[in-house]
């Protein structure tokens, strides 16, 4: 889904939020929730190795690179 925002700029949306996603997105606007993920590895990791793994995960799962924008015509969308 693509929406032209100005004469020179175009915003491309992957998809609109579903009803439950929209509920949680609106809920966290007033009730922010932060989280932490911890993991233990049996090998030494360096920054490049982690960056390469994150890049591979984002290529395989594009929604990991998405963020929500609240378009005044379309509503919240990725």
């Amino acid at each position: 889904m693509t929406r032209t925002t100005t004469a020179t700029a175009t915003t491309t949306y992957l998809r609109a939020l579903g009803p439950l996603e929209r509920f949680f997105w609106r809920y966290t606007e007033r009730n922010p929730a932060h989280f932490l993920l911890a993991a233990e590895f049996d090998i030494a990791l360096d920054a490049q190795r982690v960056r390469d793994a994150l890049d591979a995960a984002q290529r395989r799962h594009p929604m990991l690179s998405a963020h929500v924008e609240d378009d005044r015509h379309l509503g919240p969308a990725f």
Side-chain angles (χ1 to χ4, degrees), residues 2-73:
T2 302
R3 176 164 169 28
T4 302
T5 54
T6 67
T8 58
T10 300
T11 301
T12 301
Y13 296 101
L14 299 174
R15 67 174 176 82
L17 270 64
L20 191 58
E21 291 170 325
R22 181 185 286 234
F23 168 79
F24 282 116
W25 185 68
R26 292 288 188 210
Y27 179 82
T28 59
E29 285 182 316
R30 289 186 162 260
N31 304 287
H34 302 280
F35 68 94
L36 172 77
L37 177 64
E40 216 173 288
F41 297 92
D42 59 355
I43 59 173
L45 296 177
D46 61 40
Q48 189 58 51
R49 190 174 204 167
V50 173
R51 178 78 263 156
D52 291 344
L54 292 173
D55 289 343
Q58 287 177 313
R59 280 191 303 276
R60 185 171 176 139
H61 306 284
M63 292 300 286
L64 292 174
S65 300
H67 68 276
V68 176
E69 285 198 28
D70 195 3
D71 183 90
R72 67 178 209 179
H73 298 289

